[in-house]
Amino acid sequence: MKPIPEILKSTIGQRVDLIDTPSLVIDLDAMDRNIQRMADFARKHQVRWRPHAKLHKSAAIALQLQRAGAQGVCVQKVAEAEALAAGGVDDIAITNQVVAMPKLQRVARLAAQLAAAGGRLAIAVDHLQGVERLAEAMAQFGSDAGIDVLVEIDVGQGRCGVPPGEAAVPLALAVSRSPRLRFAGLQAYHGRAQHLASTVGRKQAIAAVVRAAEHTRELIEAAGLPVPLVTGSGTGTLVHEAASGVFGELQAGSFLFMDADYARNEREPAQPQFEHALYVKTQVISVQESHAVCDAGHKSHAIDSGLPTVALLPPELALRYANAGDEHGLLYAQGTEARLPTLGQMLWLIPGHCDPTVNLHDFMIGVRGGLVSGVVERIIRVDARGALT
């Protein structure tokens, strides 16, 4: 585990304007409000929530979410699960396919470790061969602890998962017949629906998801196997899965930080008012006649879901961020009355996509009291940075 550098530790208690650039900064007050709103929402709708840790990759944040009522975490990689378990997280679901035997042996080992500590591990499957390999790995490891298995159905993502309906039945039955595998329900996640621009589009997409999941559940139960849980959902559509009566667990994760891409979409009125909480602090290092340049480029934030937006600006300083390479960002004044920032000025960027942005950083700086006059409260390690296997 990478130690926190002394230079970062020395910023604790310092004002936000003394944070070096570029740095990844969490507005802790906004994050705490987002957590409380999500907890209240789940409690109101009587659904569990299992936030995706591929967003923050931090054991400390995962444990904070569990203390607030989260069931546990989702991850996409075995290495992410291992990193978070090493940090004390004890209820983990790998919502992805794992078929390589060396990885499955790691899965079996981790399942035993978590079970011994009173925790649990779950994993998704979408092929009979995947079920057989998982069962073999569990048997090779010699553990009787077992593992929870979710049958993944493709409800619109067009990625992993068997087609909804009949194709899922033999998978669920195969899981139930293995002595070390426990059939835990259905994984039904439609990631692309999270980013549809209109509320109508998202509602229609999730209505189809719910029908597919419900039909699949009915067929499995008709074959004599109870379906304990349907899990899935994301921040953009959680109001629909929560109200469906079919989904028992929400896997939304982006609510914690809320990136610029979510802000571009029409907001669902019934969704909690989640706030931006993750920022890249940057500094203006050059000012030219037509533009300014800041020190945050590709290596500071991901651009797969669009460029960042510039936050917390007065009206006379409306700026547009433009791509300028690995280490630089271009800033252009927007509007006839707008002006460029001054040399040395500190600015705050809202990343286009938080998940891969976090993966570019070893640490996040937690600020209490706002980004204008707050102070650094803590340094948060990105435990699963680069955990890709």
Side-chain angles (χ1 to χ4, degrees):
M1 187 175 292
K2 191 169 185 177
I4 299 173
E6 289 300 322
I7 192 169
L8 266 183
K9 289 182 181 178
S10 68
T11 65
I12 295 175
Q14 300 295 315
R15 303 189 314 272
V16 293
D17 56 319
L18 297 178
I19 297 173
D20 202 358
T21 62
S23 291
L24 194 61
V25 176
I26 299 174
D27 181 337
L28 294 174
D29 299 305
M31 185 180 78
D32 288 352
R33 289 191 291 269
N34 288 343
I35 293 172
Q36 187 61 55
R37 288 164 185 159
M38 185 65 196
D40 292 344
F41 178 86
R43 190 178 305 110
K44 175 182 177 182
H45 291 274
Q46 297 182 324
V47 292
R48 302 193 318 195
W49 54 298
R50 179 183 292 277
H52 229 303
K54 72 181 181 68
L55 170 80
H56 53 77
K57 292 177 170 281
S58 163
I61 291 179
L63 292 172
Q64 181 179 351
L65 288 162
Q66 283 189 270
R67 289 192 295 270
Q71 177 69 26
V73 300
C74 296
V75 297
Q76 287 288 78
K77 300 290 187 174
V78 178
E80 286 179 330
E82 291 168 333
L84 295 181
V89 182
D90 62 1
D91 193 331
I92 303 171
I94 304 172
T95 55
N96 201 0
Q97 313 305 311
V98 179
V99 297
M101 189 53 69
K103 284 191 180 73
L104 287 170
Q105 291 168 344
R106 289 161 56 193
V107 168
R109 184 180 301 108
L110 182 59
Q113 290 172 353
L114 289 175
R120 61 185 288 272
L121 182 67
I123 193 168
V125 298
D126 71 352
H127 197 282
L128 281 172
Q129 192 174 6
V131 176
E132 293 165 0
R133 290 185 178 191
L134 176 62
E136 181 183 350
M138 295 294 292
Q140 285 181 2
F141 192 74
S143 170
D144 294 325
I147 187 171
D148 288 353
V149 180
L150 299 162
V151 170
E152 182 167 5
I153 55 175
D154 182 1
V155 289
Q157 177 72 10
R159 197 166 56 190
C160 297
V162 295
E166 291 287 353
V169 178
L171 269 179
L173 293 175
V175 171
S176 69
R177 288 192 293 265
S178 175
R180 290 182 173 85
L181 308 185
R182 294 184 296 269
F183 176 60
L186 296 174
Q187 166 75 13
Y189 174 66
H190 190 346
R192 290 190 293 174
Q194 311 309 314
H195 302 281
L196 295 174
S198 73
T199 57
V200 172
R202 295 195 295 274
K203 183 177 181 179
Q204 291 174 343
I206 299 307
V209 169
V210 170
R211 289 193 298 269
E214 186 171 30
H215 177 57
T216 305
R217 182 180 68 183
E218 290 170 350
L219 291 176
I220 294 173
E221 291 184 339
L225 182 62
V227 179
L229 181 71
V230 177
T231 180
S233 183
T235 296
T237 65
L238 58 85
V239 296
H240 304 301
E241 285 96 345
S244 69
V246 172
F247 280 78
E249 184 176 80
L250 308 177
Q251 296 176 358
S254 294
F255 76 89
L256 188 72
F257 291 154
M258 292 303 288
D259 49 40
D261 186 60
Y262 271 108
R264 297 182 185 108
N265 298 330
E266 183 182 3
R267 180 177 171 270
E268 173 64 51
Q271 185 189 60
Q273 186 68 57
F274 299 126
E275 307 170 47
H276 293 299
L278 187 75
Y279 298 85
V280 175
K281 186 187 178 189
T282 185
Q283 184 177 35
V284 176
I285 58 173
S286 179
V287 179
Q288 308 300 322
E289 184 176 349
S290 62
H291 64 275
V293 183
C294 67
D295 62 356
H298 292 170
K299 292 181 180 178
S300 301
H301 53 81
I303 62 172
D304 59 300
S305 294
L307 296 172
T309 57
V310 189
L312 306 174
L313 293 175
E316 70 275 9
L317 200 62
L319 298 174
R320 176 176 64 88
Y321 181 98
N323 180 19
D326 292 349
E327 310 292 356
H328 304 86
L330 295 178
L331 301 166
Y332 294 97
Q334 293 287 93
T336 56
E337 301 299 320
R339 59 175 176 81
L340 290 171
T342 58
L343 187 68
Q345 186 167 349
M346 300 294 183
L347 298 173
W348 298 94
L349 305 179
I350 301 172
H353 191 181
C354 288
D355 304 39
T357 294
V358 170
N359 195 52
L360 295 170
H361 297 260
D362 289 319
F363 305 96
M364 297 177 283
I365 300 173
V367 168
R368 184 73 68 186
L371 301 182
V372 176
S373 56
V375 299
V376 176
E377 180 177 281
R378 60 185 172 128
I379 308 300
I380 300 169
R381 183 183 289 105
V382 183
D383 301 286
R385 182 190 179 185
L388 304 179
T389 63

